[in-house]
Amino acid sequence: MASIRADEITSILRQEIENYEGVVDVSETGSVISVGDGIARIHGLEKVMAGEMLAFPHDVFGIALNLEEDQVGAVLLGEYTEIKEGDTVKRTNTIMSVPVGEALIGRVVNPLGEPIDDKGPIATNLRSPLERIAPGVLDRQPVREPLQTGLKANDSMIPIGRGQRELIIGDRQTGKTAVILDTIINQKGQGMICIYCAIGQKRSTIAQLVKALTDAGAMDYTTVVAATATWLPRE
């Protein structure tokens, strides 16, 4: 077999270099331009969808909202102080959604639906999009069945139905949360599923609330969504 001469190798390498196209695909990944107040500006991600979940470093996720010509604006979910300029952002090809199903009953989750109660992963493949069209008035079930709070004064003066919206308003330390807890505990054995959303509260306060529900046996039909004042993914 004849050996390849040095000039032939040089010629082949020169042809490969001339035919090489240095086109970078920026459709699936991007880089952070700036971060501030929980908002990240990202260069790239040309094919990102509105409302798509984006993966940032340090297990931080974001939602793509502003789709501009030269950049993408995303809302960061979690501890965004770890995100800095130049970080790589990846698409997930998934519209922002959260897990749903009976597997969430009795669990404490963060706003992304990730468990934070040290009871293992949530065994469900069902997910519901974060943004969806609400059903019309005619498509909704009518309010027919009563809901008892367990407080005689409330139940006698302010009748509440299942599916009804009821505002509880008052100053601090006036017992608003206590009314909610009593109402949840009073639903035991009535086929109700209760969801308690704690927004901006301290972790210690939520831990006490979960303990009170557990001691009363109410966590068997309750899900707690904890968006604490210092919320972190996978706390």
Side-chain angles (χ1 to χ4, degrees), residues 81-224:
T81 57
E82 297 290 338
I83 306 302
K84 61 183 182 300
E85 181 180 344
D87 284 346
T88 301
V89 185
K90 298 180 181 179
R91 290 185 60 194
T92 63
N93 296 304
T94 303
I95 296 298
M96 191 64 189
S97 61
V98 294
V100 295
E102 295 185 358
L104 275 81
I105 298 177
R107 303 300 300 271
V108 182
V109 298
N110 63 22
L112 291 178
E114 299 172 337
I116 56 176
D117 52 7
D118 296 330
K119 294 183 180 180
I122 296 176
T124 179
N125 295 324
L126 303 175
R127 300 187 70 88
S128 178
L130 194 66
E131 297 287 346
R132 61 187 183 277
I133 301 176
V137 176
L138 297 179
D139 297 330
R140 302 181 187 183
Q141 295 182 359
V143 178
R144 294 179 177 177
E145 302 180 44
L147 185 144
Q148 305 293 334
T149 65
L151 302 173
K152 293 183 179 179
N154 289 348
D155 295 333
S156 60
M157 294 186 299
I158 310 173
I160 303 174
R162 294 188 181 183
Q164 174 183 336
R165 295 175 179 173
E166 188 69 33
L167 174 64
I168 302 176
I169 189 171
D171 295 331
R172 299 177 67 253
Q173 302 298 324
T174 55
K176 299 186 298 296
T177 302
V179 172
I180 296 297
L181 288 180
D182 289 341
T183 302
I184 293 177
I185 294 173
N186 194 57
Q187 306 311 308
K188 187 174 184 178
Q190 300 189 33
M192 291 282 291
I193 300 297
C194 301
I195 301 176
Y196 184 93
C197 297
I199 302 175
Q201 298 185 19
K202 295 186 297 184
R203 299 185 191 181
S204 58
T205 301
I206 299 177
Q208 294 174 1
L209 181 143
V210 173
K211 184 178 185 305
L213 293 175
T214 303
D215 294 342
M219 283 300 292
D220 295 337
Y221 52 87
T222 302
T223 300
V224 176

